[in-house]
Amino acid sequence: MTGDEQSIAQVLNRLRRAHGQLAGVISMIEAGRDCREVVTQLAAVSRALDRAGFKIVASGLRDCLDSEGADGRPEITEAELEKLFLALA
């Protein structure tokens, strides 16, 4: 993956969090925990993965759209792109 170091660090943090959550879900299933608790944690893993994916897409689009408007400012920020993708999810 290419992009600025901050975006890459954020993606890696989200993926590490999802990794830890998934390990927790596996442990919960092995321990015979209540299915509602397992599903709740599994949903958290899914959201963490989705957010990492959206960040990757937003970063890629940001690189493509890194042109400046007439006022010299970027036409759309990476945060704005990420919000748009999250709104669609």
Side-chain angles (χ1 to χ4, degrees):
M1 182 177 142
T2 60
D4 66 89
E5 290 181 28
Q6 182 180 4
S7 293
I8 292 170
Q10 289 173 347
V11 168
L12 289 173
N13 285 338
R14 288 176 180 168
L15 291 174
R16 286 184 184 108
R17 186 176 310 124
H19 181 91
Q21 289 172 321
L22 185 56
V25 169
I26 292 168
S27 295
M28 291 173 74
I29 292 170
E30 291 173 343
R33 297 278 295 270
D34 181 69
C35 68
R36 288 173 289 209
E37 295 174 31
V38 172
V39 170
T40 298
Q41 290 305 309
L42 195 55
V45 173
S46 180
R47 284 190 304 272
L49 291 173
D50 287 344
R51 290 191 59 88
F54 287 128
K55 185 66 173 176
I56 290 168
V57 171
S59 295
L61 280 177
R62 184 76 204 111
D63 289 343
C64 292
L65 299 174
D66 205 13
S67 60
E68 295 180 347
D71 60 358
R73 293 184 1 200
E75 293 183 22
I76 189 166
T77 67
E78 184 176 323
E80 291 169 327
L81 283 171
E82 186 176 3
K83 268 187 170 180
L84 289 173
F85 279 105
L86 290 172
L88 295 173

